[in-house]
Amino acid sequence: MKRFLYLLFFFSLSLQAQFQVNGIVKNAETKKPLPFATLKTEKGFTTITDVDGKFNLLLPEAPETLTVSYVGYTTQSYSLFEQKSFLTLLLMPKTEEMKEAIVSNTTLAHRVIREVIRLKNQNNPLQKLNTFQYKTYNKLLVTANPDSISGKIDTLFTDFSAKEKGFKIDSSDYKFKKIIAKQHLFLTEKVSVFQFEKPVVKETIIGTKMAGFKEPIYELLGFSLQSASVYDDKYELFETKYKSPISDNALEEYRYKILDTVTLGNRKVWVLYFNNKISRKGLEGLLYIDRENFAVAKAVMRIRGVLNITGIHEFDYLPEEKVWFPVRKDFKISKGKSKEPTSILGGRIEFAAESDEDTKGKNASDFTYLASEMRVFDLQINPKLKIKKSYIAIDVRPNANQKEETFWKAYRPDSLDVRSEKTYVALDSLVTKEKIEKKIKFGRKIINGYLPFGPFDFDLRYLLSYNNYEGFRLGIGGITNEVFSKKFRLEGYTAYGIKDDDSKYHLGGAVRIGNFSNSWIGGSFTDDLREIASTTFAIDKRVFKLYDPRPINISTFYNHKTWRAFVETKIIPKTESIWQLTHSDIQPLFDYTFLNNDRLYREFGMTMAMVSIQWNPFSDYMQTPNGKIEFEKRYPKFTFQFTQSVANLFNNDFEFTKVDARIEYEKKYLNGQKSTVLIQAGYVNGAVPITHLYNTSPNNLTKDNLLQRITIAGKNSFETMYFNEFFSSEFVMLQFKHGFKRIELFKKVRPSLVLVSRMAWGDLKNPQQHIGITYKTLNDGFFESGIELNQIYKGFGLTGFYRYGPYQLARFEDNIALKLSFVLDLGL
């Protein structure tokens, strides 16, 4: 979903200075850059090179000399009499003193870091202070420096000696430069109030303005760019967490070097350079450490790789509290070194493949960058606070997007530059002209499988499907939307199976009883089919697929006529839940009889009370004028479902208890890889027919020939397990997946390799009760592993799985399953 949220027209502040010098500092012998070298002018202006050894000086007047120093190197002064656009400054290493200097420096740096780690709770404002409150102004923009972009217009060159036409310079760079010289690609501002009451931090957004939008994209307001605190054991940059250079065991992973001693806030601080000695893709940067209390006075965190990401934290010293308090954060993303195309924000910023750092051959969009700045003001220490609804991380005021210009002038630290002002005008006009907001709303509906038409959203799932019992199933249905009402909703569908020559339908409605909790109360009636032993969690969000692969080969269904009354709510912190009471009249549509208390059942009634809860304890939630949303999805996630039959109510035939649980974990990597873990279990106690037991989602056909068994793969199904092969009254299932980034083999052939392993154990109590169907149990454990090659061409892929372990079959080829796969990429 995130890919969709960050779309739009990612079309800098023009820095005015009387004197500007750019350059790089290198080792004179090896020509390698020297990161974080110190540069000083004769009038005392000081700066430090970045991790690439580069610097950018902006001064009110031209200095005569520039002095460069670096630990273990000879200090060198350079005359700036002859002004150049780019300087390469070389330092000679002190060969005789180098080893001794490094050893001495490293020893001191390690002693300093040990003290920083020992005293970090004492220096961390979130630990030392009980309450505080402050306001912030935040600006996020996507832009580029027009001076970095070649602005050549289309030109055709001819090689007369070869009598062939040469090459054509694309005018897209020229057009891009013209746009970026006038405006930014994207701009948003917000003003917030932060409140801290140990240990809770809550943000209330009192003003927000997003170029091109009357109502902001709320998820973007909560997008996590960098950690709020440098004292966290795991430091986060652009949704990826790294071990902090001041975590408890940081000395095992990082190396440190003292570069200089400077003054911040009238206090002496060490400047320490750190980098990761285990991973070349780890954090590196600078720590400014107070020489008296060993607190962090400033921090620069940097990642270099596919993307270059920098997060800067600045602090002010509060003498009364004796603590360095964060007052400014800056963040920037630009293109790094990558031999493959790289994109961020759902593909809205894309960088072309490149093998070197030379700007030759770069596309104009490669100079695009995302920058965010946050400023703190109106700080109050230890005020009397009582944070309400503390489990809501961000609360957006209902009128936050309706602030007048006087509001923004009062809260902006600096007035907007000309390009920023034109960005609002240009994007507001463009979005209105192109009806972008309507298109976004339409896209949100489509990606979830709805086609909006006035007050009604047609559900695309009902149009056409296929299974072995109904054959082709045709239908129509949907649900009313906010145009109809924000307080009432009606839903329904009707379908017809060509093979079974029968109609099915569903009717329902609900009333909204709580905006903050997004609570609804409603009821419905359904007359339809369902696969036997298929367990679903009522709380699961609908997933739209152009097709549902498993039912294509399923022939064992049961008909159910179900009355349902329900309440769905998010009133419990960090949960979504459904509470329901149902009565179903069940008719198995295959040869089956259930024996219970010496009585045979071909048809039966079941009255059940159920609660289904999804708990996301590590996710962050945002309260918006439109309701509560999970804006920061974190794992693991937990799902629990409890079902209890209700005796002597509406002709209930059986007494039983059913418990289902699921744990999901997912980790995404910046290089495009992803790991997932799924654990699911179920337990039934009491008399339950096979229609409501467990089958652990088999997806293989009972055919002799391997090629005859080729079907479409499911998402989490057992591809080598045959339909109706195993049934359980209790089971546990584990699945592990690791997906690698897509590899381009040929033009338009870019498969995604995924390694998969699945296993399941189970048992079936009272097997003698189930008459008319043969099956096995999972007592000894079922195992399969395989490879998915997804999206080989236009979404189509191929998967292969192998079955092994106690239930391995005698014939080798019967343990192999080959499947087709299809992944729909809407490019949103």
Side-chain angles (χ1 to χ4, degrees):
M1 193 62 182
K2 268 185 181 179
R3 296 191 62 199
F4 177 78
L5 297 175
Y6 302 123
L7 48 48
L8 317 167
F9 324 85
F10 287 65
F11 283 116
S12 187
L13 186 60
S14 298
L15 297 171
Q16 300 298 323
Q18 293 176 335
F19 188 82
Q20 179 173 344
V21 179
N22 300 321
I24 187 170
V25 178
K26 293 184 176 182
N27 183 314
E29 294 182 350
T30 65
K31 300 301 186 290
K32 290 184 177 181
L34 297 178
F36 307 118
T38 301
L39 299 97
K40 294 181 181 179
T41 68
E42 68 273 10
K43 291 192 176 182
F45 181 84
T46 302
T47 190
I48 292 178
T49 61
D50 63 16
V51 292
D52 301 312
K54 297 178 181 179
F55 63 90
N56 184 352
L57 280 172
L58 294 165
L59 302 172
E61 59 183 31
E64 295 180 1
T65 60
L66 189 62
T67 302
V68 188
S69 61
Y70 198 75
V71 175
Y73 288 75
T74 301
T75 299
Q76 183 73 42
S77 293
Y78 291 88
S79 172
L80 297 181
F81 179 76
E82 182 182 352
Q83 184 175 348
K84 297 181 179 179
S85 60
F86 192 87
L87 298 176
T88 299
L89 308 181
L90 304 176
L91 295 184
M92 288 294 297
K94 298 177 181 178
T95 307
E96 298 177 356
E97 303 175 18
M98 178 70 79
K99 186 174 182 180
E100 181 181 348
I102 291 175
V103 172
S104 175
N105 185 292
T106 302
T107 301
L108 176 59
H110 282 196
R111 288 206 305 266
V112 171
I113 289 298
R114 287 191 182 97
E115 286 299 293
V116 173
I117 294 172
R118 185 177 71 86
L119 298 172
K120 66 180 180 179
N121 287 339
Q122 178 179 317
N123 290 318
N124 184 354
L126 297 176
Q127 296 291 333
K128 189 169 186 176
L129 303 176
N130 292 318
T131 64
F132 56 75
Q133 177 176 294
Y134 58 84
K135 294 178 181 177
T136 65
Y137 167 82
N138 180 263
K139 179 169 69 174
L140 182 148
L141 55 83
V142 179
T143 188
N145 185 351
D147 295 335
S148 302
I149 303 168
S150 172
K152 297 179 181 178
I153 309 177
D154 287 359
T155 309
L156 193 62
F157 293 85
T158 305
D159 185 346
F160 291 100
S161 62
K163 296 183 179 180
E164 293 179 353
K165 288 187 176 181
F167 62 94
K168 186 178 182 181
I169 300 177
D170 192 357
S171 65
S172 60
D173 285 6
Y174 170 76
K175 295 176 182 177
F176 185 82
K177 182 170 183 174
K178 284 188 65 177
I179 292 173
I180 209 64
K182 295 179 181 179
Q183 66 178 72
H184 304 300
L185 301 179
F186 179 72
L187 173 64
T188 182
E189 300 174 277
K190 71 173 179 177
V191 176
S192 302
V193 177
F194 281 83
Q195 294 178 307
F196 171 73
E197 182 185 15
K198 191 183 281 189
V200 176
V201 178
K202 183 175 181 178
E203 177 185 3
T204 301
I205 298 176
I206 61 175
T208 177
K209 190 176 184 181
M210 191 171 291
F213 294 89
K214 294 179 181 179
E215 185 174 29
I217 301 174
Y218 291 109
E219 292 86 345
L220 188 57
L221 297 179
F223 189 47
S224 178
L225 297 174
Q226 65 191 117
S227 285
S229 173
V230 296
Y231 290 99
D232 294 340
D233 282 342
K234 293 288 187 179
Y235 183 83
E236 184 173 359
L237 273 179
F238 200 55
E239 299 190 305
T240 302
K241 291 186 176 182
Y242 306 87
K243 179 179 287 187
S244 167
I246 57 173
S247 61
D248 291 340
N249 56 349
L251 286 165
E252 298 176 4
E253 187 163 327
Y254 287 94
R255 58 171 66 93
Y256 305 85
K257 178 169 57 177
I258 294 179
L259 300 179
D260 205 347
T261 299
V262 299
T263 300
L264 288 179
N266 295 321
R267 295 174 69 85
K268 293 289 186 180
V269 299
W270 284 295
V271 182
L272 274 74
Y273 167 70
F274 67 88
N275 68 340
N276 194 298
K277 59 186 178 183
I278 296 176
S279 173
R280 299 179 65 181
K281 297 181 180 180
L283 279 177
E284 64 177 324
L286 293 178
L287 294 173
Y288 292 70
I289 306 300
D290 189 308
R291 295 186 62 167
E292 183 179 332
N293 62 10
F294 295 94
V296 178
K298 183 177 178 179
V300 179
M301 307 290 195
R302 179 80 184 269
I303 287 294
R304 290 188 296 175
V306 175
L307 299 172
N308 288 334
I309 307 175
T310 303
I312 301 175
H313 299 254
E314 296 187 17
F315 301 75
D316 277 351
Y317 186 71
L318 306 181
E320 292 185 9
E321 289 76 20
K322 296 181 179 180
V323 66
W324 287 88
F325 195 89
V327 294
R328 176 171 177 167
K329 288 198 304 182
D330 292 279
F331 179 88
K332 184 176 180 179
I333 299 178
S334 60
K335 182 185 177 181
K337 295 179 65 176
S338 176
K339 294 184 179 180
E340 297 181 6
T342 305
S343 62
I344 62 174
L345 295 185
R348 303 311 149 192
I349 302 179
E350 185 166 327
F351 306 110
E354 188 177 337
S355 58
D356 54 53
E357 294 184 354
D358 191 357
T359 59
K360 182 179 179 181
K362 282 189 176 181
N363 293 329
S365 61
D366 288 336
F367 295 97
T368 303
Y369 64 86
L370 179 148
S372 171
E373 62 178 53
M374 186 270 281
R375 306 291 181 267
V376 171
F377 57 97
D378 291 352
L379 174 63
Q380 301 176 40
I381 301 297
N382 293 327
K384 291 184 178 179
L385 288 179
K386 188 63 180 178
I387 298 178
K388 298 180 180 179
K389 300 171 182 175
S390 58
Y391 60 92
I392 299 296
I394 300 178
D395 190 358
V396 184
R397 293 280 176 85
N399 63 342
N401 64 324
Q402 300 170 5
K403 299 299 183 182
E404 300 292 336
E405 187 60 26
T406 53
F407 170 90
W408 293 105
K409 288 182 178 179
Y411 282 111
R412 288 183 184 124
D414 303 299
S415 59
L416 290 181
D417 63 297
V418 175
R419 281 207 292 165
S420 295
E421 291 177 347
K422 288 187 176 180
T423 302
Y424 279 120
V425 175
L427 292 187
D428 287 351
S429 174
L430 180 62
V431 169
T432 301
K433 179 181 178 181
E434 299 294 332
K435 300 180 180 179
I436 299 297
E437 286 189 286
K438 289 185 178 180
K439 292 179 180 179
I440 289 176
K441 291 181 180 179
F442 182 84
R444 286 179 184 268
K445 300 283 189 180
I446 289 294
I447 203 171
N448 286 298
Y450 291 108
L451 178 64
F453 185 79
F456 194 77
D457 293 341
F458 286 97
D459 195 325
L460 301 178
R461 297 178 303 170
Y462 299 132
L463 294 179
L464 178 66
S465 60
Y466 180 88
N467 61 69
N468 273 345
Y469 183 82
E470 294 177 285
F472 284 102
R473 173 178 168 131
L474 308 175
I476 190 172
I479 187 171
T480 57
N481 56 37
E482 63 278 1
V483 176
F484 175 80
S485 174
K486 292 185 177 182
K487 295 184 178 180
F488 305 94
R489 73 183 187 210
L490 300 173
E491 61 183 10
Y493 67 81
T494 182
Y496 174 75
I498 294 178
K499 186 176 179 180
D500 68 337
D501 192 24
D502 197 8
S503 298
K504 298 88 183 173
Y505 68 94
H506 165 86
L507 293 172
V511 178
R512 192 170 193 166
I513 57 175
N515 184 59
F516 173 79
S517 60
N518 195 27
S519 299
W520 296 77
I521 183 170
S524 66
F525 175 76
T526 305
D527 183 353
D528 206 343
L529 308 181
R530 183 173 297 168
E531 177 191 0
I532 68 169
S534 58
T535 299
T536 58
F537 289 88
I539 196 61
D540 281 352
K541 294 181 176 62
R542 54 172 281 129
V543 177
F544 172 58
K545 302 176 182 178
L546 288 179
Y547 65 95
D548 192 1
R550 291 191 64 259
I552 292 176
N553 302 296
I554 296 172
S555 55
T556 48
F557 291 86
Y558 65 90
N559 173 258
H560 67 102
K561 295 180 174 65
T562 301
W563 293 92
R564 174 177 178 251
F566 67 91
V567 174
E568 60 182 55
T569 181
K570 298 180 181 179
I571 196 169
I572 304 173
K574 297 198 173 186
T575 68
E576 300 177 39
S577 61
I578 291 180
W579 309 70
Q580 67 181 35
L581 178 68
T582 62
H583 175 77
S584 301
D585 292 318
I586 309 295
Q587 180 185 1
L589 300 175
F590 58 100
D591 184 18
Y592 173 73
T593 303
F594 182 59
L595 173 63
N596 185 48
N597 294 329
D598 298 325
R599 179 180 171 183
L600 298 176
Y601 291 87
R602 279 286 305 151
E603 299 179 3
F604 37 85
M606 303 177 73
T607 303
M608 298 173 287
M610 173 196 289
V611 56
S612 184
I613 298 178
Q614 171 85 47
W615 181 42
N616 308 323
F618 304 103
S619 294
D620 287 332
Y621 287 82
M622 178 189 298
Q623 185 67 38
T624 76
N626 297 331
K628 193 185 307 178
I629 60 175
E630 182 188 2
F631 73 92
E632 192 68 47
K633 297 181 180 181
R634 296 193 180 98
Y635 293 85
K637 293 171 175 273
F638 304 90
T639 310
F640 175 81
Q641 187 163 285
F642 178 82
T643 306
Q644 177 65 54
S645 66
V646 183
N648 304 317
L649 183 64
F650 304 134
N651 299 318
N652 177 60
D653 287 319
F654 312 119
E655 294 186 16
F656 64 90
T657 300
K658 190 174 184 181
V659 181
D660 298 282
R662 180 179 65 200
I663 301 174
E664 301 168 272
Y665 178 79
E666 178 179 298
K667 181 174 178 59
K668 293 182 178 179
Y669 305 91
L670 194 59
N671 61 5
Q673 299 187 52
K674 182 173 75 171
S675 298
T676 62
V677 179
L678 173 65
I679 304 174
Q680 186 169 331
Y683 175 79
V684 174
N685 182 36
V688 179
I690 206 166
T691 53
H692 289 67
L693 293 180
Y694 305 106
N695 62 11
T696 59
S697 296
N699 194 30
N700 204 9
L701 296 175
T702 309
K703 301 286 186 179
D704 289 335
N705 190 293
L706 175 61
L707 297 180
Q708 291 178 317
R709 296 197 297 270
I710 294 179
T711 56
I712 300 176
K715 182 180 179 181
N716 297 317
S717 54
F718 282 84
E719 304 299 338
T720 62
M721 184 185 293
Y722 295 94
F723 288 104
N724 299 332
E725 185 179 4
F726 297 91
F727 289 100
S728 306
S729 58
E730 54 190 57
F731 84 102
V732 60
M733 183 269 285
L734 287 82
Q735 174 181 272
F736 304 93
K737 283 188 175 184
H738 182 80
F740 298 88
K741 62 182 179 181
R742 298 179 69 178
I743 302 174
E744 185 171 353
L745 299 179
F746 307 99
K747 188 177 181 180
K748 296 184 179 182
V749 178
R750 299 177 59 235
S752 171
L753 173 64
V754 182
L755 304 180
V756 186
S757 284
R758 298 188 181 99
M759 55 204 75
W761 293 265
D763 190 17
L764 182 62
K765 295 180 179 179
N766 303 316
Q768 70 281 358
Q769 291 184 304
H770 309 285
I771 304 171
I773 187 170
T774 58
Y775 55 87
K776 293 181 283 188
T777 60
L778 290 167
N779 301 73
D780 298 324
F782 186 94
F783 302 87
E784 73 173 22
S785 294
I787 297 176
E788 297 178 356
L789 285 174
N790 297 321
Q791 295 176 286
I792 297 175
Y793 182 75
K794 293 187 179 297
F796 290 95
L798 183 66
T799 71
F801 285 84
Y802 182 69
R803 171 173 173 166
Y804 56 95
Y807 294 107
Q808 188 174 38
L809 301 174
R811 284 202 319 167
F812 174 77
E813 69 174 38
D814 290 340
N815 297 295
I816 299 175
L818 298 178
K819 302 293 175 70
L820 301 175
S821 66
F822 181 77
V823 177
L824 176 64
D825 187 354
L826 295 178
L828 297 172

